[in-house]
Amino acid sequence: MPDTVPAVHTLSMGRPLRVLLVDDAPTDRELTREAFTGHKRAVIIDTCANGERALSFLHAPDTTLPDVILLDLNMPGLTGFDVLAQLKDHPRLRAIPVVILSSSSDTGDIDRAYSLHASSYLIKDVDFQRFIEQIDAFVNYWVRNCTPVRLRKLN
Amino acid sequence: MPDADSHPRVAIQSRVLKVLLVEDDASAAELMEDVFAPHTDSVQLDIIPNADQLFTLLQTPGSSLPDAVLLNLHLEGRPALEVLADLKRDPVLRRLPVVVLSGTDDPTEVARAYQGHASAVLVKSSGMDVLQARINAFVDFWRYSRLPG
């Protein structure tokens, strides 16, 4: 959506969107980073290679919390569902919106993610050009939404 | 879902998105109809004026659920965050993504909505062009998202 991209740089929040990407597969993390290339000025991406690291990162006192989390489901150790459940059970971190980014189109997985209060569920398209379109839609949506940017001050 | 569908070629929704707007202010509802008007091919927008009707509609046996709910944060009568909490307590309805429409970007209100498991908070103030861009982005994003069954 090249026509909508320029507007991304005039964010209502006046700063780049901060995204935390949680995915155990290095090639998938790289691919997702690449899909965000068109939004370099509008998005800052932090990455964690598994669920445990993501939770440590989010709990660390010096972490700048993300506006939105992009979370893989199928990970060794803590799965995406485990991470989602722990986040949504935490009094402070529960307010961070979590978008699932998975290759699973299993309706059970989709329903479970929404039941655990995922904000939405994206199925990674195997066609990279279409995956870029998904990421464009993700960015254009979240830069226009309000996220709990002053979360820490409330707790 | 069969394994053959685990790697879909096309991620975008091919069917019409059913969006249910809970808005008690008639002029605000009209405004939303206007900004959704360019998307009539891909979105069916239904509007109900209060929370009681929302639950009546959603809990009617056999009625098909919407894909997403747009909930005005500043409803007269029952507070919208209570409505959100009731939806999120219900074993079936909790799966519905609820996007809260707010007239303000007050950080406390925004955080409360997210803590109540709003899917997102969309501020409806600002000019018409800004609102139109926000709704266009909403429609686009949800067409790329997979929705609960």
Side-chain angles (χ1 to χ4, degrees):
Chain A
M1 293 158 296
D3 58 325
T4 58
V5 170
V8 164
H9 303 303
T10 55
L11 307 183
S12 59
M13 62 179 81
R15 58 164 179 78
L17 181 79
R18 191 175 277 272
V19 178
L20 173 63
L21 170 66
V22 187
D23 196 326
D24 64 301
T27 49
D28 285 351
R29 283 200 305 277
E30 207 39 55
L31 201 69
T32 304
R33 270 192 171 280
E34 222 177 298
F36 274 99
T37 303
H39 302 284
K40 268 182 181 161
R41 287 169 56 198
V43 180
I44 295 169
I45 305 174
D46 295 310
T47 53
C48 289
N50 59 49
E52 290 84 352
R53 285 190 192 174
L55 291 173
S56 302
F57 173 79
L58 291 167
H59 282 290
D62 58 342
T63 292
T64 304
L65 291 175
D67 291 297
V68 55
I69 297 170
L70 261 179
L71 178 65
D72 184 25
L73 283 184
N74 189 14
M75 295 187 288
L78 289 179
T79 67
F81 290 122
D82 297 330
V83 175
L84 181 60
Q86 289 199 31
L87 288 176
K88 295 302 172 183
D89 201 34
H90 188 276
R92 180 166 60 92
L93 301 178
R94 69 188 299 186
I96 303 174
V98 178
V99 173
I100 301 298
L101 182 63
S102 172
S103 56
S104 168
S105 59
D106 184 286
T107 50
D109 284 347
I110 295 168
D111 282 353
R112 188 175 170 202
Y114 279 105
S115 289
L116 290 169
H117 307 300
S119 275
S120 70
Y121 191 111
L122 294 173
I123 299 175
K124 275 184 257 188
D125 203 302
V126 291
D127 180 301
F128 187 62
Q129 205 46 47
R130 292 205 184 105
F131 183 43
I132 289 175
E133 290 171 20
Q134 286 180 296
I135 294 299
D136 286 347
F138 169 88
V139 172
N140 285 314
Y141 180 63
W142 287 101
V143 296
R144 288 180 170 83
N145 286 330
C146 268
T147 59
V149 287
R150 296 180 205 173
L151 204 56
R152 281 170 181 274
K153 292 183 180 175
L154 298 170
N155 292 281
Chain B
M1 189 64 66
D3 288 339
D5 193 37
S6 62
H7 292 289
R9 294 288 305 170
V10 182
I12 200 160
Q13 298 276 348
S14 53
R15 65 178 176 81
V16 170
L17 270 182
K18 289 172 65 184
V19 176
L20 183 60
L21 168 65
V22 187
E23 176 60 82
D24 54 3
D25 181 288
S27 59
E30 258 179 51
L31 185 67
M32 292 303 285
E33 279 182 315
D34 289 346
V35 288
F36 272 99
H39 301 286
T40 45
D41 287 349
S42 51
V43 179
Q44 177 191 322
L45 179 71
D46 293 310
I47 303 175
I48 50 169
N50 59 55
D52 292 339
Q53 285 191 33
L54 172 70
F55 284 97
T56 304
L57 181 71
L58 297 181
Q59 290 171 335
T60 301
S63 72
S64 69
L65 294 178
D67 294 311
V69 174
L70 272 172
L71 176 66
N72 177 17
L73 184 60
H74 306 286
L75 290 173
E76 297 269 331
R78 198 152 160 224
L81 292 183
E82 268 183 29
V83 176
L84 180 62
D86 286 348
L87 286 171
K88 295 300 168 185
R89 262 195 296 270
D90 185 286
V92 174
L93 302 179
R94 66 183 294 162
R95 289 182 301 202
L96 280 179
V98 178
V99 175
V100 167
L101 280 172
S102 173
T104 165
D105 58 359
D106 176 81
T108 308
E109 286 206 351
V110 171
R112 280 190 185 140
Y114 278 108
Q115 280 167 336
H117 302 306
S119 169
V121 177
L122 200 156
V123 175
K124 59 181 177 174
S125 56
S126 307
M128 187 70 175
D129 288 352
V130 175
L131 181 61
Q132 184 69 65
R134 284 177 184 162
I135 295 303
N136 294 348
F138 168 92
V139 172
D140 209 25
F141 177 70
W142 284 102
R143 290 192 71 221
Y144 277 103
S145 296
R146 200 50 72 98
L147 293 146

